[in-house]
């Protein structure tokens, strides 16, 4: 399908007209997704539509997207997942509108997001939710927990569908025939997709609930039943209301749910459940798909009408009228008209054939898609059958064990049958006993009747004898008492026998049911046993075939082993030659590295007498650090020696140590010579001679590495002796007055950091006090501006306080990791430059906080300038940046405290930006209240004010230029003073010396390599 055609169909389907989406455009979009196997074109077109500004457009987009998710290509879901967050944002946006399509779009977008999430979590479910019972069982993977979770997700899915259903109906005026209007059909059209989804979700929910009730107690599933009852009532009502609408009667046959919901507590009720089926008639067409006459159809109608007119003319005047020879028209003209008619007729036939060809192509494409889908289903079923076959092979042993269990159960069943026979015999005995008791009861009743008759006769004879009457009355009372006792006993025994009989009948029914179940299980086990026996026979045949194949593989393996042995012999000979070659290459590498190291040391010795070195100056403390580096390099070289002697294959460490020793030795010799220029004569001569001696000893030591036998005999005692002499001379050259001052540096760092923290706390307290005073005395715009500025200042102070704490932690870590066995004070004294930088940065932070609080106080009182507060905040940001830079100089790049310090620095930068922003906002807010009123001024006055403003602008520009020049001079002087105080000149001179020496050494190498 052409992409342009699909684009046109999407734009026609999703437009701003409040009419239902035409079915032909939606069908074209669906076919387009199957053609390109995805929804890239659909989303590329939709992203250009203003869905957030037009509710009708968004509603029709939801309708088309719902159709694509149901009937489009499966990759539509994958291509649409990246836009899920955008759909959520759009849903929240439309949810703020309570009228029109706003709430409808919000709920529909939530439904689409829920549908995407459901199919993502459950990929076995297709977009149209059509599944068989076997596929539904496979979706749960025979796990009751999966079925339980799947039911909950289906409830959520169905809840979203019902919410959209109810919202659409509540938005319509049901008192009028809204289903025949275009606006009503626009709202009702998406409900067809909702009805299709709800029918499947209801059916699957019922089946899953019956399955859960067969595995779990009824109390556990009480919540599921309550939720199902609520959704059942809603869905039944909505289906009934939808079936009465005229719009749906021609498009869809809506099923009716049963009068009462299924009884999940009764397992046999599942057989009474009828799955609701939604039928869409093939001849049904939506009202928006009425035939529309296109241009070609109109041309065909005109041509047909013209033919009909010509036929009528021939019938009236005769067909030979045109062939009369006496007519002035020539025969050629008539033939020309016939040819034109024939051409037109052929064109019409060609256009009809083209239309038929397009229809045939469309049907063939649809058939191809269906066949491809069927092929994929068959492939999936084939893979499933193979998997089941593998499972059958794995479960054969398990079924054998089950067969043994069934045999045991059969024996238990026989025992139960025998016990059932005994129970039946007991029941018959109880029935006989009950019949005897019944006969005795009838006899007692008869005797009671006789006694009553006798009592009547005695009553008639009362007048004969009073004594006889008294005797008869006494006898009557005795008989009545005895009768009462006998009646009670008989009644009690009858009741007891009845209860025993009922219990026996219940036991008999229970045993009969168990007997039927066991008989069914025995029959099933017998059938499964025969089935598995046949499968076991087939598996044994396959085992024999596999054993024969394994024998063939053993023969091939023996042949391959012989080839492997031959290859190993060749490989061993090759490895010996390679080892010898590698050994020779190691010797060459060691010799070349030694010669390169000797050249570096000789170059350094040759530069001691050059004039360019006289202009450079070095320091004794830097020389001591170089000597320390050389000592550690010598120790590393000793370790590399031992490692090379133990494992001659690993020569990389030895080569790296030799190269590093040569470069460090050259740097140390040059730094020692530069230090001599600033030292007294005697120590300078001694240091220069020691440097030369150290260079010669290094050359001797490197020459001893020429042969393998001398490698273990190389001695570096002379090197260490020269380094010790240089270190002793360097310590003598250290300034003595600096020691006393450096002992106080450690305490001074702690004091300055504590003073900075105290200054920050004081500034925070002052800001809180100013805020309280402003709230008590100011109102309106001024109070709002003051609160905003002081709040941002408080945030800045808190951020600075966090930065200081992080800086302390990082300094403590640096001291602990770098001081070794020395004390913190000795570490600060050793790194005096770094310590002075920390002190300077801490002082700058505390001073900046104090100045900013003073500026904020003046601004709040109305006597200060907003610009001063902005400058102070920038100055604090610069001071904190200096503190961070000074703290991270010696820190490890992977340190956690360094990361926290950088995070705190970013917080200070954000807080500074907040102060500047609040200051600018407050300034503009106050300036807005002071706007001038020019309504009462005349033209002359306005012209006068304009000239004054121009003069003032020129004056301010001149002053601004002068102030910028002044600021540049001040900064230049500040940098000079700071450089003198912190020793930048020495660092710059030493760096220039290092660069000069480096260039000279490089030039020396090039000169020596020239022929």
């Amino acid at each position: 399908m052409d992409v342009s055609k699909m684009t046109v169909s999407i734009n026609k389907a999703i437009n701003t007209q409040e009419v239902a989406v035409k079915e032909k455009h939606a069908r074209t979009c669906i076919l387009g997704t199957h053609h390109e196997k995805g929804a890239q074109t659909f989303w590329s077109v939709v992203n250009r539509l203003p869905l957030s500004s037009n509710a009708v457009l968004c509603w029709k987009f939801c309708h088309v997207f719902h159709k694509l998710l149901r009937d489009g290509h499966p990759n539509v879901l994958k291509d649409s997942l990246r836009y899920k967050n955008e759909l959520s944002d759009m849903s929240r946006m439309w949810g703020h509108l309570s009228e029109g399509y706003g709430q409808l779009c919000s709920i529909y977008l939530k439904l689409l997001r829920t549908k995407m999430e459901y199919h993502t979590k459950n990929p076995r479910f297709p977009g149209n939710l059509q599944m068989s019972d076997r596929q539904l069982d496979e979706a749960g993977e025979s796990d009751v927990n999966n079925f339980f979770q799947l039911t909950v997700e289906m409830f959520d899915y169905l809840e979203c569908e019902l919410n959209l259903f109810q919202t659409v109906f509540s938005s319509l005026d049901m008192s009028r025939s809204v289903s025949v209007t275009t606006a009503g059909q626009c709202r009702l059209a998406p409900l067809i997709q909702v009805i299709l989804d709800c029918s499947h979700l209801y059916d699957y929910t019922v089946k899953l609930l019956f399955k859960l009730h067969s595995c779990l107690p009824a109390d556990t599933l009480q919540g599921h039943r309550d939720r199902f009852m609520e959704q059942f009532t809603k869905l039944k009502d909505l289906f009934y209301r939808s079936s009465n609408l005229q719009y749906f009667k021609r498009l869809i046959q809506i099923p009716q749910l049963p009068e009462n919901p299924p009884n999940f507590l009764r397992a046999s009720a599942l057989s009474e459940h009828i799955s609701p089926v939604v039928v869409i008639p093939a001849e049904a067409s939506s009202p928006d798909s009425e035939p529309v006459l296109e241009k070609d159809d109109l041309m065909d109608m005109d041509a047909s009408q013209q033919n009909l007119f010509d036929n009528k003319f021939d019938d009236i005047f005769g067909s030979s009228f045109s062939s009369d020879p006496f007519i002035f028209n020539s025969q050629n003209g008539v033939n020309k008209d016939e040819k034109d008619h024939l051409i037109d007729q052929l064109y019409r036939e060609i256009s009809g054939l083209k239309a038929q060809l397009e229809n045939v192509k469309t049907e063939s494409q649809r058939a191809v898609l269906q066949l491809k889908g069927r092929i994929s289903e068959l492939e999936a079923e084939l893979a499933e059958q193979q998997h089941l076959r593998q499972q059958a092979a794995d479960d054969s042993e398990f079924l054998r064990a089950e067969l043994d269990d069934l045999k045991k159960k059969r024996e238990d069943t026989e025992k139960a049958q025998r016990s059932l026979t005994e129970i039946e015999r007991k029941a018959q005995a109880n029935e006989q006993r009950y019949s005897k008791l019944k006969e005795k009861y009838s006899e007692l009743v008869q005797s009671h009747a006789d006694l009553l008759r006798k009592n009547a006769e005695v009553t008639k004879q009362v007048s004969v004898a009073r004594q006889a009457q008294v005797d008869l009355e006494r006898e009557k009372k005795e008989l009545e008492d005895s009768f009462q006792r006998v009646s009670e006993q008989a009644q009690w025994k009858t009741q007891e026998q009845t209860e025993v009989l009922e219990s026996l009948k219940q036991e008999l029914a229970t045993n009969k049911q168990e007997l039927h179940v066991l008989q069914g299980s025995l029959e099933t086990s017998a059938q499964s046993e025969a089935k598995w026996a046949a499968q076991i026979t087939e598996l044994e045949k396959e085992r024999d075939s596999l054993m024969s194949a394994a024998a063939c593989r053993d023969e091939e393996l023996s042949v391959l082993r012989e080839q492997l042995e031959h290859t190993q012999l060749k490989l061993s000979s090759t490895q010996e030659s390679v080892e010898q070659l590698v050994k020779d290459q190691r010797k060459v590498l060691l010799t070349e590295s030694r010669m390169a190291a000797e050249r570096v040391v000789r170059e350094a010795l040759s530069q001691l007498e050059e004039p360019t070195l006289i202009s450079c100056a070095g320091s004794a403390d830097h020389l001591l650090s170089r000597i320390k580096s050389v000592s550690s390099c010598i120790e590393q070289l000793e370790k590399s020696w031992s490692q090379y002697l133990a494992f001659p294959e690993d020569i990389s460490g030895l080569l790296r140590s030799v190269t590093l020793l040569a470069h460090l030795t050259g740097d140390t010799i040059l730094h020692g010579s530069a230090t001599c220029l600033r030292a007294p004569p005697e120590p300078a001569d001694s240091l220069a001679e020691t440097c030369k001696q150290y260079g010669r000893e290094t050359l001797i030591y490197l020459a001893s590495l020429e042969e393998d036998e001398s490698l273990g005999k190389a001695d570096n005692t002379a090197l260490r002796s020269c380094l010790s002499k240089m270190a002793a001379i360097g310590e003598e050259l250290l300034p003595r007055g600096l020691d006393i001052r450096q002992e106080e540096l450690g305490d001074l760092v702690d004091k300055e950091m504590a003073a900075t923290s105290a200054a920050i706390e004081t500034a925070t307290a002052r800001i809180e006090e100013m805020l309280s005073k402003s709230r008590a005395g100011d109102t309106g715009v001024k109070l709002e501006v003051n609160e905003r500025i002081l709040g941002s200042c408080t945030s800045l102070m808190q951020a600075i306080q966090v930065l200081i704490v992080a800086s302390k932690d990082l300094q403590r870590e640096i001291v602990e990791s770098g001081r070794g066995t020395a004390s913190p004070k000795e570490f600060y004294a050793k790194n005096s430059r770094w310590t002075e930088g920390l002190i300077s940065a801490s002082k700058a932070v505390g001073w900046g906080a104090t100045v900013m609080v003073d500026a904020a106080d003046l601004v709040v009182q109305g006597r200060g300038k907003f610009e001063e507060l902005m400058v102070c905040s920038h100055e604090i940001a610069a001071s904190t940046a200096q503190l961070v830079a000074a703290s991270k100089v010696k820190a490890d790049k992977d340190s956690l405290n360094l990361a926290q310090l950088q995070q705190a620095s970013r917080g200070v930068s954000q807080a500074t930006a907040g102060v500047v922003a609040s200051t600018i906002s407050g300034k503009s807010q106050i300036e807005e209240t002071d706007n001038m009123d020019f309504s009462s001024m005349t033209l002359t006055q306005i012209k006068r004010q304009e000239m004054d403003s121009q003069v003032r602008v020129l004056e301010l520009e001149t002053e601004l230029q002068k102030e910028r020049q002044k600021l540049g001079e001040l900064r230049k002087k500040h940098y000079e003073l700071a450089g003198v105080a912190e020793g930048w000149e020495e660092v710059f001179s030493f760096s220039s010396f290092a660069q000069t020496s480096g260039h000279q050494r490089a030039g020396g190498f090039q000169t020596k390599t020239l022929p």
Side-chain angles (χ1 to χ4, degrees):
M1 180 181 292
D2 192 4
V3 177
S4 60
K5 183 177 180 182
M6 184 177 178
T7 304
V8 171
S9 299
I10 295 171
N11 290 323
K12 288 183 178 180
I14 306 174
N15 52 39
T16 57
Q17 298 178 2
E18 195 173 0
V19 295
V21 177
K22 290 188 178 181
E23 190 65 28
K24 62 179 181 180
H25 299 321
R27 189 183 301 110
T28 304
C29 296
I30 294 171
L31 292 176
T33 60
H34 286 283
H35 179 72
E36 68 176 5
K37 298 181 180 180
Q40 294 88 354
T41 303
F42 173 75
W43 282 109
S44 64
V45 176
V46 167
N47 286 332
R48 296 193 293 269
L49 299 177
L51 300 180
S52 301
S53 60
N54 193 302
V56 177
L57 194 69
C58 183
W59 176 254
K60 298 179 78 171
F61 156 74
C62 294
H63 185 191
V64 175
F65 185 43
H66 197 173
K67 278 181 170 287
L68 293 182
L69 288 176
R70 279 186 53 83
D71 303 326
H73 195 272
N75 289 336
V76 172
L77 177 62
K78 298 179 182 178
D79 295 338
S80 304
L81 288 176
R82 69 185 69 174
Y83 303 101
K84 188 168 63 174
N85 294 331
E86 297 179 5
L87 296 180
S88 300
D89 297 338
M90 199 183 305
S91 174
R92 286 193 294 271
M93 188 272 292
W94 284 117
H96 296 297
L97 299 179
S98 59
E99 297 179 357
Y101 283 88
Q103 288 294 327
L104 295 178
C105 293
S106 177
I107 295 175
Y108 207 166
L109 289 168
K110 289 180 182 177
L111 169 61
L112 294 176
R113 179 182 173 89
T114 304
K115 183 176 180 68
M116 293 167 65
E117 292 176 350
Y118 178 81
H119 288 288
T120 304
K121 292 181 182 178
N122 305 285
R124 294 177 182 267
F125 283 81
N128 55 10
L129 296 174
Q130 293 181 2
M131 296 180 69
S132 61
D133 293 342
R134 181 176 60 82
Q135 291 174 339
L136 184 62
D137 293 337
E138 291 175 355
E141 299 178 355
S142 302
D143 189 355
V144 67
N145 296 320
N146 294 340
F147 285 122
F148 190 91
Q149 181 63 27
L150 186 60
T151 308
V152 174
E153 294 174 358
M154 283 189 179
F155 280 144
D156 297 337
Y157 192 176
L158 186 57
E159 188 70 27
C160 293
E161 302 274 2
L162 294 176
N163 287 339
L164 180 61
F165 224 135
Q166 289 178 332
T167 307
V168 171
F169 274 120
S170 62
S171 66
L172 297 174
D173 186 4
M174 304 306 293
S175 62
R176 299 185 292 110
S177 300
V178 294
S179 64
V180 298
T181 63
T182 57
Q185 291 175 2
C186 183
R187 299 192 182 195
L188 291 173
L191 294 186
I192 296 176
Q193 311 301 319
V194 176
I195 292 171
L196 292 171
D197 288 344
C198 288
S199 62
H200 292 297
L201 290 174
Y202 167 77
D203 183 31
Y204 300 154
T205 305
V206 172
K207 293 178 181 178
L208 289 177
L209 283 177
F210 273 111
K211 187 179 294 292
L212 288 175
H213 278 81
S214 65
C215 301
L216 297 176
D219 296 339
T220 306
L221 300 172
Q222 181 63 40
H224 280 53
R225 290 197 298 274
D226 295 340
R227 194 171 183 186
F228 175 80
M229 287 295 298
E230 180 183 357
Q231 294 185 354
F232 173 80
T233 305
K234 293 181 181 179
L235 186 60
K236 181 180 178 182
D237 177 62
L238 293 173
F239 274 7
Y240 176 75
R241 294 171 65 183
S242 301
S243 61
N244 295 329
L245 291 178
Q246 186 67 28
Y247 176 71
F248 290 121
K249 288 183 179 179
R250 294 189 303 104
L251 298 177
I252 189 172
Q253 294 181 7
I254 302 175
Q256 297 299 324
L257 299 184
E259 187 66 25
N260 297 319
N263 185 7
F264 300 110
L265 301 178
R266 185 167 57 90
S268 60
L270 178 60
S271 60
E272 303 172 2
H273 169 67
I274 300 175
S275 301
V277 179
V278 180
V279 180
I280 300 178
E283 67 274 4
S285 60
S286 59
D288 52 27
S289 61
E290 295 179 355
V292 179
L293 296 177
E294 301 293 341
K295 183 177 179 181
D296 296 337
D297 299 335
L298 293 174
M299 294 175 63
D300 295 342
M301 289 180 63
D302 294 339
S304 61
Q305 290 177 359
Q306 183 66 31
N307 293 332
L308 180 61
F309 176 77
D310 294 338
N311 294 331
K312 289 182 179 180
F313 182 83
D314 293 337
D315 294 338
I316 295 172
F317 296 100
S319 59
S320 63
F321 181 78
S322 60
S323 61
D324 193 345
F326 297 100
I327 300 301
F328 292 101
N329 293 332
S330 63
Q331 187 68 25
N332 293 330
V334 174
N335 292 334
K336 184 177 182 181
D337 293 338
E338 289 178 356
K339 289 181 180 179
D340 292 339
H341 287 303
L342 180 60
I343 290 171
D344 293 338
Q345 184 178 358
L346 290 175
Y347 274 130
R348 287 194 297 273
E349 291 178 357
I350 289 171
S351 62
L353 291 174
K354 284 183 179 179
Q356 292 179 4
L357 180 61
E358 290 296 329
N359 293 332
V360 169
K361 286 183 178 179
T362 304
E363 293 297 332
S364 63
Q365 288 179 356
R366 187 182 297 109
V368 168
L369 291 175
Q370 291 177 355
L371 290 175
K372 287 183 179 179
R374 183 58 181 165
I375 289 171
S376 61
E377 291 179 359
L378 291 175
E379 289 177 352
E381 290 181 359
L382 179 61
E384 182 180 0
Q385 292 296 330
Q386 292 177 353
H387 180 65
L388 290 175
R389 181 179 179 183
Q390 185 66 27
Q391 284 185 345
D394 296 336
D395 294 344
S396 60
E397 295 296 331
F398 176 72
L399 291 174
R400 288 178 183 175
E402 284 188 351
L403 182 61
D404 296 336
D405 294 339
L406 290 174
K407 289 180 180 179
K408 293 180 181 178
K409 289 182 180 179
R410 185 175 181 181
E411 295 175 357
D412 295 338
T413 305
E414 293 176 354
K415 293 180 181 178
Q417 288 179 350
R418 289 194 294 271
S419 62
L420 180 61
T421 305
E422 294 177 358
I423 291 170
E424 290 178 350
R425 183 174 53 78
K426 290 180 181 179
Q428 292 176 358
N430 289 329
E431 288 179 356
Q432 293 176 359
R433 191 182 305 168
Y434 174 71
S435 61
K436 291 179 181 180
L437 289 173
K438 190 175 182 181
E439 291 175 357
K440 288 182 180 180
Y441 178 70
S442 61
E443 290 176 359
L444 290 173
V445 171
Q446 185 65 32
S447 64
H448 179 61
D450 295 339
L451 289 173
L452 288 176
R453 285 193 297 272
K454 289 178 182 180
N455 187 18
E457 293 175 358
V458 171
T459 304
K460 292 178 182 179
Q461 297 174 3
V462 170
S463 59
V464 179
R466 188 174 295 276
Q467 185 64 34
Q469 184 179 3
V470 173
D471 295 337
L472 289 173
E473 288 179 357
R474 186 172 56 251
E475 291 177 0
K476 181 181 178 182
K477 289 181 180 179
E478 291 177 357
L479 289 173
E480 287 178 355
D481 293 338
S482 62
F483 175 74
Q484 186 69 24
R485 288 194 297 273
V486 171
S487 299
E488 289 178 358
Q489 291 178 0
Q491 228 173 19
W492 179 73
K493 289 181 179 179
T494 303
Q495 186 178 1
E496 183 179 4
Q497 293 297 330
T498 304
E499 293 177 355
V500 172
L501 182 61
E502 291 295 332
S503 62
L504 291 174
K505 286 182 178 179
Q506 292 178 359
E507 291 180 359
L508 180 60
T510 305
N511 291 326
K512 286 182 178 180
Q513 292 179 358
E514 292 179 355
L515 180 60
H516 288 306
V517 173
L518 291 173
Q519 287 177 353
S521 63
L522 285 173
E523 293 175 358
T524 306
S525 62
Q527 295 176 358
S528 61
E529 182 179 1
K531 179 180 178 182
W532 291 118
Q535 292 183 357
I536 288 171
T537 305
E538 294 178 358
L539 292 174
E540 288 178 353
K541 293 179 180 179
E542 292 181 0
R543 184 189 63 186
D544 296 337
S545 62
L546 291 174
M547 289 178 64
S548 61
C552 296
R553 292 287 184 271
D554 291 338
E555 295 178 359
E556 295 177 358
L557 183 62
S558 61
V559 175
L560 292 174
R561 283 178 179 172
E562 293 178 358
Q563 295 178 357
L564 179 62
E565 292 176 357
H566 181 67
T567 306
Q568 286 178 350
L569 293 174
K570 291 182 178 179
L571 182 63
S572 60
S573 60
T574 306
Q575 285 179 350
E576 291 177 357
S577 60
V578 169
E579 289 177 357
Q580 183 63 33
L581 180 62
V582 170
K583 187 175 180 181
D584 297 338
Q585 289 180 353
R586 284 200 298 268
K587 291 181 179 180
V588 172
L589 288 175
L590 182 59
T591 303
E592 291 180 354
S593 299
R594 181 186 58 79
M595 294 173 64
E598 290 178 354
R599 284 198 298 271
V600 171
V601 176
R602 288 193 182 96
E603 187 66 24
L605 291 174
S606 64
Q607 290 181 4
L608 290 177
E609 304 299 334
E610 291 186 2
T612 55
L613 193 63
I614 299 175
S615 60
C616 301
S619 61
D621 54 352
H622 194 72
L623 177 62
L624 292 175
S625 64
R626 293 286 88 193
I627 293 173
K628 184 177 180 181
S629 300
V630 173
S631 300
S632 61
C633 181
I634 292 174
E635 293 177 357
Q636 182 64 31
L637 183 59
E638 290 180 353
K639 293 179 182 179
S640 301
W641 287 353
S642 59
Q643 186 176 3
Y644 179 73
L645 292 174
F647 303 100
E649 294 84 5
D650 187 9
I651 197 174
S652 59
L654 181 59
L655 297 177
R656 184 167 54 253
S657 300
V658 169
T659 305
L660 181 62
L661 176 62
H663 286 284
L664 291 177
T665 298
D667 290 341
T668 304
I669 292 172
L670 293 176
H671 284 299
S673 178
T675 306
C676 294
L677 300 175
R678 300 182 62 181
E682 293 182 0
D685 296 340
S686 178
L687 181 59
E689 186 62 30
T690 306
C691 290
K692 294 178 182 178
Q693 181 64 26
Y694 172 66
R696 289 191 293 270
E697 292 295 336
T698 303
L699 292 175
I700 294 171
Y701 177 73
L702 292 175
S704 65
L705 302 178
E706 184 175 1
E707 299 295 336
D708 291 342
E709 293 78 6
S710 64
L711 187 61
K713 302 177 183 179
D715 189 9
N716 55 14
T717 306
L719 290 178
R720 294 183 179 276
S721 176
C722 294
L723 289 175
S724 301
K725 292 180 181 180
M726 294 171 66
I729 296 171
E731 290 178 355
E732 291 179 358
L733 294 176
L734 288 173
R736 299 302 177 184
L738 188 61
D739 298 338
I740 300 175
R741 177 175 169 270
Q742 288 179 346
E743 291 176 357
E744 301 174 356
L745 286 177
D747 296 335
L748 188 58
V749 170
D750 296 334
K751 289 180 182 179
E752 288 300 330
M753 295 300 288
T756 304
S757 299
I760 297 300
E761 292 177 358
T762 304
T764 304
R766 285 188 61 189
I767 291 173
E768 293 293 335
E769 182 181 355
M770 286 188 286
L771 184 59
S772 301
K773 290 181 181 180
S774 178
R775 288 174 179 171
D778 298 331
T779 57
V781 176
K782 186 175 182 181
L783 177 59
E784 181 182 355
V785 171
N786 291 342
E787 286 182 345
R788 190 184 303 122
I789 292 175
L790 293 178
S792 60
C793 291
T794 303
S795 301
L796 178 58
M797 293 303 165
Q798 293 174 354
I800 293 173
Q801 201 163 8
V802 172
L803 178 70
I804 291 173
V805 173
S807 178
K808 288 181 179 178
D809 295 338
L810 182 60
Q811 291 172 22
R812 190 179 302 110
E813 179 184 350
I814 292 171
V815 172
E816 291 297 329
S817 61
R819 66 186 179 91
T821 57
S823 63
K825 291 184 179 180
E826 293 176 352
F827 179 81
Y828 283 123
K830 182 179 178 181
N831 300 274
S832 58
R833 307 267 183 209
W834 176 69
T835 306
E836 290 172 358
L838 286 178
I839 295 171
S840 175
S842 300
K843 287 181 179 180
V845 172
W847 174 82
T850 305
V851 173
M852 192 187 75
V853 172
D854 294 337
D857 191 7
L858 294 175
V859 170
V860 170
Q861 293 177 5
R863 296 184 289 111
K865 297 181 180 179
F866 289 96
E867 289 78 4
E868 294 180 359
L869 190 59
M870 294 168 62
V871 171
C872 290
S873 62
H874 285 301
E875 187 64 26
I876 288 178
S879 300
T880 53
Q882 181 183 356
L883 180 60
V884 172
S887 299
K888 65 187 288 189
V889 167
K890 290 185 174 294
D892 186 6
K893 64 178 181 179
D894 297 328
S895 173
L896 180 61
N897 290 324
L898 178 58
Q900 293 177 355
L901 179 64
Q902 293 174 345
Q903 183 65 29
S905 176
R906 288 191 288 270
V908 171
S909 300
Q910 294 176 359
T912 304
V915 172
V916 174
S918 60
T919 304
I920 294 173
S921 176
K923 180 181 178 182
S924 61
Q925 194 170 0
I926 290 177
E927 288 177 352
E928 287 178 0
T929 59
D930 297 336
N931 288 336
M932 295 181 62
D933 185 13
F934 302 107
S935 59
S936 61
M937 296 177 66
T938 63
L939 178 62
T940 305
Q941 292 175 344
I942 292 175
K943 186 64 177 177
R944 179 63 180 174
Q945 292 289 341
E946 182 181 356
M947 293 176 64
D948 293 340
S949 297
Q950 290 179 354
V951 172
R952 181 60 178 164
V953 166
L954 294 175
E955 292 176 353
L956 291 175
E957 288 178 351
T958 304
E959 292 180 1
L960 176 62
Q961 186 176 2
K962 292 180 179 179
E963 288 296 327
R964 282 178 175 170
Q965 292 178 355
K966 182 179 179 182
L967 177 61
E969 294 296 329
L970 289 173
R971 285 180 176 174
K972 183 177 180 181
K973 190 63 177 177
H974 175 262
Y975 293 155
E976 291 178 357
L977 295 176
V980 172
E982 298 184 8
W984 291 354
E985 294 179 354
E986 181 180 348
V987 175
F988 290 150
S989 64
F990 186 76
S991 61
S992 62
F993 154 68
Q995 292 177 358
T996 304
S997 61
H999 288 304
Q1000 291 173 353
R1001 275 183 284 166
F1005 289 150
Q1006 293 175 0
T1007 304
K1008 300 242 176 158
T1009 54
L1010 289 174

